[in-house]
Amino acid sequence: LAKITQPISMDSYEGQEVNITCSHNNIATNDYITWYQQFPSQGPRFIIQGYKTKVTNEVASLFIPADRKSSTLSLPRVSLSDTAVYYCLVGDMEYGNKLVFGAGTILRVKS
Amino acid sequence: GAVVSQHPSWVICKSGTSVKIECRSLDFQATTMFWYRQFPKQSLMLMATSNEGSKATYEQGVEKDKFLINHASLTLSTLTVTSAHPEDSSFYICSARQNYNQPQHFGDGTRLSIL
């Protein structure tokens, strides 16, 4: 399983763009990169998933360089409600797709 | 879409009681469901993976006789904590996946407190 490294915490202000970078040096060929958001006492919520280059949806963008050894989750114009823990996960899309959660990044958005 | 419902959301019971937690995929069929536990201020820890109609695969260190998992249909998986003790108190979260190239979608968890 790929070893994941992401910052323990980040602070931002409302309206700013936030970029959270995740390192996964030993990502395997079949692995996808998935980001989840978790609020206290709730289950994680799927944000975005990608394999390479750039993926964008209505809430975030995911940038993956050609070597795929890192990825960056970009949250445009964050608000106070974006304060949460963000998990970067790398998993095999074949049998099982077992996800191993790391410590995650605590994002604090201030007014 | 992709809604996963977990029930109950919160349960308190006496030591020695067995507790069943249900996980349902409401708007899709889940070929695979996963069970996690999470202690305060810690990350999620995968307990087991279950495929519909098959026995669950447990992670190392998770007692299969303690945590019984049943995945009887494509929309329902249950986790039974047998003879629960205070150290089993935790936040249990399930997730479901429609097929191998789809992401996991999580329920909102069950807070289990054993007195």
Side-chain angles (χ1 to χ4, degrees):
Chain A
L1 295 173
K3 179 173 166 40
I4 306 294
T5 303
Q6 55 183 120
I8 294 174
S9 65
M10 294 180 69
D11 291 332
S12 183
Y13 289 91
E14 284 189 290
Q16 288 187 333
E17 178 185 75
V18 171
N19 295 310
I20 306 175
T21 296
C22 177
S23 172
H24 29 78
N25 288 325
N26 58 338
I27 188 170
T29 303
N30 291 332
D31 287 344
Y32 275 67
I33 301 153
T34 311
W35 285 81
Y36 286 87
Q37 174 195 57
Q38 186 181 29
F39 298 112
S41 297
Q42 292 187 24
R45 185 176 72 96
F46 171 79
I47 301 174
I48 200 166
Q49 183 178 68
Y51 184 81
K52 62 180 179 180
T53 63
K54 177 184 174 183
V55 180
T56 297
N57 62 21
E58 62 275 11
V59 297
S61 294
L62 178 60
F63 299 91
I64 306 168
D67 65 7
R68 304 200 326 122
K69 293 185 176 183
S70 66
S71 60
T72 299
L73 173 72
S74 181
L75 304 172
R77 295 188 298 281
V78 295
S79 63
L80 294 175
S81 62
D82 292 317
T83 294
V85 179
Y86 291 81
Y87 294 100
C88 165
L89 296 105
V90 173
D92 188 341
M93 291 303 290
E94 293 183 343
Y95 175 76
N97 195 22
K98 186 165 73 172
L99 297 176
V100 177
F101 280 79
T105 296
I106 300 171
L107 173 64
R108 301 185 192 91
V109 180
K110 304 174 184 177
S111 58
Chain B
V3 178
V4 176
S5 174
Q6 216 173 310
H7 178 81
S9 57
W10 182 58
V11 60
I12 300 176
C13 58
K14 295 180 179 179
S15 185
T17 306
S18 291
V19 178
K20 180 184 282 189
I21 302 170
E22 291 188 350
C23 178
R24 294 180 185 271
S25 55
L26 297 186
D27 53 359
F28 66 100
Q29 292 187 322
T31 54
T32 308
M33 288 186 169
F34 304 82
W35 287 95
Y36 298 80
R37 67 188 297 183
Q38 185 175 32
F39 292 106
K41 299 191 184 301
Q42 294 187 23
S43 187
L44 284 80
M45 183 191 79
L46 178 65
M47 299 175 67
T49 302
S50 73
N51 292 293
E52 185 263 339
S54 302
K55 288 185 178 180
T57 301
Y58 290 81
E59 294 300 302
Q60 190 172 11
V62 178
E63 300 176 59
K64 62 180 181 181
D65 295 329
K66 174 75 170 177
F67 300 99
L68 301 179
I69 292 172
N70 183 280
H71 191 166
S73 78
L74 285 172
T75 59
L76 173 65
S77 176
T78 61
L79 167 67
T80 301
V81 184
T82 61
S83 187
H85 292 285
E87 60 266 28
D88 298 322
S89 298
S90 189
F91 191 50
Y92 292 86
I93 311 171
C94 73
S95 72
R97 186 189 68 191
Q98 186 170 12
N99 53 48
Y100 77 96
N101 62 355
Q102 296 291 320
Q104 293 181 32
H105 295 279
F106 288 79
D108 271 338
T110 296
R111 177 77 57 193
L112 175 63
S113 296
I114 309 298
L115 304 177

PDB file of all heavy atoms in Angstrom, chain B residues 1-5 24-30 33 74-75 96 98 105:
ATOM      1  N   GLY B   1     -27.257  11.423  -5.363  1.00  0.00           N
ATOM      2  CA  GLY B   1     -27.175   9.976  -5.398  1.00  0.00           C
ATOM      3  C   GLY B   1     -26.089   9.451  -4.480  1.00  0.00           C
ATOM      4  O   GLY B   1     -25.401  10.202  -3.815  1.00  0.00           O
ATOM      5  N   ALA B   2     -25.922   8.110  -4.464  1.00  0.00           N
ATOM      6  CA  ALA B   2     -24.909   7.424  -3.665  1.00  0.00           C
ATOM      7  C   ALA B   2     -25.064   7.711  -2.171  1.00  0.00           C
ATOM      8  O   ALA B   2     -24.135   8.196  -1.536  1.00  0.00           O
ATOM      9  CB  ALA B   2     -23.507   7.775  -4.135  1.00  0.00           C
ATOM     10  N   VAL B   3     -26.238   7.406  -1.656  1.00  0.00           N
ATOM     11  CA  VAL B   3     -26.520   7.642  -0.241  1.00  0.00           C
ATOM     12  C   VAL B   3     -26.393   6.342   0.529  1.00  0.00           C
ATOM     13  O   VAL B   3     -26.948   5.311   0.150  1.00  0.00           O
ATOM     14  CB  VAL B   3     -27.943   8.213  -0.056  1.00  0.00           C
ATOM     15  CG1 VAL B   3     -28.244   8.400   1.424  1.00  0.00           C
ATOM     16  CG2 VAL B   3     -28.083   9.530  -0.803  1.00  0.00           C
ATOM     17  N   VAL B   4     -25.643   6.426   1.626  1.00  0.00           N
ATOM     18  CA  VAL B   4     -25.479   5.280   2.517  1.00  0.00           C
ATOM     19  C   VAL B   4     -26.065   5.655   3.873  1.00  0.00           C
ATOM     20  O   VAL B   4     -25.714   6.695   4.448  1.00  0.00           O
ATOM     21  CB  VAL B   4     -23.999   4.893   2.656  1.00  0.00           C
ATOM     22  CG1 VAL B   4     -23.832   3.762   3.662  1.00  0.00           C
ATOM     23  CG2 VAL B   4     -23.441   4.482   1.298  1.00  0.00           C
ATOM     24  N   SER B   5     -26.949   4.818   4.361  1.00  0.00           N
ATOM     25  CA  SER B   5     -27.618   5.084   5.626  1.00  0.00           C
ATOM     26  C   SER B   5     -27.150   4.100   6.675  1.00  0.00           C
ATOM     27  O   SER B   5     -27.029   2.895   6.412  1.00  0.00           O
ATOM     28  CB  SER B   5     -29.136   4.953   5.435  1.00  0.00           C
ATOM     29  OG  SER B   5     -29.806   5.075   6.678  1.00  0.00           O
ATOM     30  N   ARG B  24     -27.006   0.524   5.004  1.00  0.00           N
ATOM     31  CA  ARG B  24     -27.787   0.332   3.784  1.00  0.00           C
ATOM     32  C   ARG B  24     -27.372   1.309   2.692  1.00  0.00           C
ATOM     33  O   ARG B  24     -27.178   2.497   2.963  1.00  0.00           O
ATOM     34  CB  ARG B  24     -29.278   0.543   4.063  1.00  0.00           C
ATOM     35  CG  ARG B  24     -29.901  -0.474   4.973  1.00  0.00           C
ATOM     36  CD  ARG B  24     -31.393  -0.209   5.201  1.00  0.00           C
ATOM     37  NE  ARG B  24     -31.949  -1.135   6.173  1.00  0.00           N
ATOM     38  CZ  ARG B  24     -32.459  -2.307   5.875  1.00  0.00           C
ATOM     39  NH1 ARG B  24     -32.475  -2.709   4.605  1.00  0.00           N
ATOM     40  NH2 ARG B  24     -32.939  -3.097   6.809  1.00  0.00           N
ATOM     41  N   SER B  25     -27.249   0.804   1.492  1.00  0.00           N
ATOM     42  CA  SER B  25     -27.069   1.690   0.339  1.00  0.00           C
ATOM     43  C   SER B  25     -28.473   1.952  -0.196  1.00  0.00           C
ATOM     44  O   SER B  25     -29.184   1.028  -0.560  1.00  0.00           O
ATOM     45  CB  SER B  25     -26.186   1.032  -0.718  1.00  0.00           C
ATOM     46  OG  SER B  25     -26.689  -0.226  -1.107  1.00  0.00           O
ATOM     47  N   LEU B  26     -28.883   3.226  -0.198  1.00  0.00           N
ATOM     48  CA  LEU B  26     -30.287   3.554  -0.474  1.00  0.00           C
ATOM     49  C   LEU B  26     -30.603   3.667  -1.962  1.00  0.00           C
ATOM     50  O   LEU B  26     -31.728   3.393  -2.377  1.00  0.00           O
ATOM     51  CB  LEU B  26     -30.657   4.859   0.232  1.00  0.00           C
ATOM     52  CG  LEU B  26     -30.570   4.844   1.745  1.00  0.00           C
ATOM     53  CD1 LEU B  26     -31.100   6.158   2.322  1.00  0.00           C
ATOM     54  CD2 LEU B  26     -31.315   3.651   2.338  1.00  0.00           C
ATOM     55  N   ASP B  27     -29.664   4.100  -2.757  1.00  0.00           N
ATOM     56  CA  ASP B  27     -29.983   4.348  -4.157  1.00  0.00           C
ATOM     57  C   ASP B  27     -29.027   3.667  -5.122  1.00  0.00           C
ATOM     58  O   ASP B  27     -28.963   4.037  -6.302  1.00  0.00           O
ATOM     59  CB  ASP B  27     -30.035   5.853  -4.436  1.00  0.00           C
ATOM     60  CG  ASP B  27     -28.774   6.565  -3.975  1.00  0.00           C
ATOM     61  OD1 ASP B  27     -27.870   5.895  -3.433  1.00  0.00           O
ATOM     62  OD2 ASP B  27     -28.696   7.784  -4.164  1.00  0.00           O
ATOM     63  N   PHE B  28     -28.318   2.678  -4.624  1.00  0.00           N
ATOM     64  CA  PHE B  28     -27.464   1.904  -5.510  1.00  0.00           C
ATOM     65  C   PHE B  28     -27.215   0.542  -4.883  1.00  0.00           C
ATOM     66  O   PHE B  28     -27.402   0.358  -3.679  1.00  0.00           O
ATOM     67  CB  PHE B  28     -26.133   2.613  -5.790  1.00  0.00           C
ATOM     68  CG  PHE B  28     -25.223   2.757  -4.590  1.00  0.00           C
ATOM     69  CD1 PHE B  28     -24.163   1.886  -4.392  1.00  0.00           C
ATOM     70  CD2 PHE B  28     -25.422   3.776  -3.667  1.00  0.00           C
ATOM     71  CE1 PHE B  28     -23.320   2.029  -3.303  1.00  0.00           C
ATOM     72  CE2 PHE B  28     -24.585   3.927  -2.571  1.00  0.00           C
ATOM     73  CZ  PHE B  28     -23.536   3.050  -2.385  1.00  0.00           C
ATOM     74  N   GLN B  29     -26.807  -0.387  -5.709  1.00  0.00           N
ATOM     75  CA  GLN B  29     -26.484  -1.718  -5.215  1.00  0.00           C
ATOM     76  C   GLN B  29     -24.985  -1.787  -4.934  1.00  0.00           C
ATOM     77  O   GLN B  29     -24.176  -1.436  -5.787  1.00  0.00           O
ATOM     78  CB  GLN B  29     -26.887  -2.778  -6.243  1.00  0.00           C
ATOM     79  CG  GLN B  29     -28.400  -2.871  -6.404  1.00  0.00           C
ATOM     80  CD  GLN B  29     -28.802  -4.043  -7.287  1.00  0.00           C
ATOM     81  OE1 GLN B  29     -28.143  -4.343  -8.268  1.00  0.00           O
ATOM     82  NE2 GLN B  29     -29.893  -4.707  -6.928  1.00  0.00           N
ATOM     83  N   ALA B  30     -24.663  -2.228  -3.746  1.00  0.00           N
ATOM     84  CA  ALA B  30     -23.278  -2.236  -3.298  1.00  0.00           C
ATOM     85  C   ALA B  30     -22.706  -3.645  -3.343  1.00  0.00           C
ATOM     86  O   ALA B  30     -23.081  -4.496  -2.547  1.00  0.00           O
ATOM     87  CB  ALA B  30     -23.177  -1.676  -1.885  1.00  0.00           C
ATOM     88  N   MET B  33     -18.994  -3.740   0.727  1.00  0.00           N
ATOM     89  CA  MET B  33     -19.166  -2.812   1.850  1.00  0.00           C
ATOM     90  C   MET B  33     -17.987  -2.956   2.794  1.00  0.00           C
ATOM     91  O   MET B  33     -17.372  -4.025   2.880  1.00  0.00           O
ATOM     92  CB  MET B  33     -20.487  -3.085   2.569  1.00  0.00           C
ATOM     93  CG  MET B  33     -21.717  -2.645   1.775  1.00  0.00           C
ATOM     94  SD  MET B  33     -23.231  -2.833   2.737  1.00  0.00           S
ATOM     95  CE  MET B  33     -24.401  -1.963   1.720  1.00  0.00           C
ATOM     96  N   LEU B  74     -27.457  -6.916  -1.679  1.00  0.00           N
ATOM     97  CA  LEU B  74     -26.662  -5.874  -2.329  1.00  0.00           C
ATOM     98  C   LEU B  74     -26.903  -4.486  -1.749  1.00  0.00           C
ATOM     99  O   LEU B  74     -26.276  -3.517  -2.176  1.00  0.00           O
ATOM    100  CB  LEU B  74     -26.951  -5.859  -3.836  1.00  0.00           C
ATOM    101  CG  LEU B  74     -26.322  -7.001  -4.630  1.00  0.00           C
ATOM    102  CD1 LEU B  74     -26.832  -6.998  -6.059  1.00  0.00           C
ATOM    103  CD2 LEU B  74     -24.796  -6.909  -4.622  1.00  0.00           C
ATOM    104  N   THR B  75     -27.816  -4.393  -0.784  1.00  0.00           N
ATOM    105  CA  THR B  75     -28.085  -3.083  -0.197  1.00  0.00           C
ATOM    106  C   THR B  75     -27.962  -3.067   1.317  1.00  0.00           C
ATOM    107  O   THR B  75     -28.204  -2.036   1.944  1.00  0.00           O
ATOM    108  CB  THR B  75     -29.499  -2.595  -0.577  1.00  0.00           C
ATOM    109  OG1 THR B  75     -30.459  -3.537  -0.099  1.00  0.00           O
ATOM    110  CG2 THR B  75     -29.647  -2.416  -2.086  1.00  0.00           C
ATOM    111  N   ALA B  96     -19.914   1.912   1.321  1.00  0.00           N
ATOM    112  CA  ALA B  96     -20.383   1.008   0.281  1.00  0.00           C
ATOM    113  C   ALA B  96     -19.884   1.476  -1.069  1.00  0.00           C
ATOM    114  O   ALA B  96     -19.721   2.685  -1.297  1.00  0.00           O
ATOM    115  CB  ALA B  96     -21.914   0.948   0.282  1.00  0.00           C
ATOM    116  N   GLN B  98     -20.356   0.673  -5.356  1.00  0.00           N
ATOM    117  CA  GLN B  98     -21.190   0.003  -6.349  1.00  0.00           C
ATOM    118  C   GLN B  98     -20.395  -1.025  -7.141  1.00  0.00           C
ATOM    119  O   GLN B  98     -20.819  -2.149  -7.330  1.00  0.00           O
ATOM    120  CB  GLN B  98     -21.817   1.033  -7.291  1.00  0.00           C
ATOM    121  CG  GLN B  98     -22.820   0.435  -8.270  1.00  0.00           C
ATOM    122  CD  GLN B  98     -23.596   1.506  -9.012  1.00  0.00           C
ATOM    123  OE1 GLN B  98     -23.266   2.684  -8.974  1.00  0.00           O
ATOM    124  NE2 GLN B  98     -24.648   1.109  -9.690  1.00  0.00           N
ATOM    125  N   HIS B 105     -18.682   5.290  -0.662  1.00  0.00           N
ATOM    126  CA  HIS B 105     -19.538   6.308  -0.054  1.00  0.00           C
ATOM    127  C   HIS B 105     -19.855   5.860   1.369  1.00  0.00           C
ATOM    128  O   HIS B 105     -20.213   4.708   1.595  1.00  0.00           O
ATOM    129  CB  HIS B 105     -20.804   6.511  -0.876  1.00  0.00           C
ATOM    130  CG  HIS B 105     -20.511   7.079  -2.238  1.00  0.00           C
ATOM    131  ND1 HIS B 105     -20.291   8.424  -2.439  1.00  0.00           N
ATOM    132  CD2 HIS B 105     -20.353   6.483  -3.445  1.00  0.00           C
ATOM    133  CE1 HIS B 105     -20.030   8.638  -3.728  1.00  0.00           C
ATOM    134  NE2 HIS B 105     -20.056   7.477  -4.349  1.00  0.00           N
TER     135      HIS B 105
END
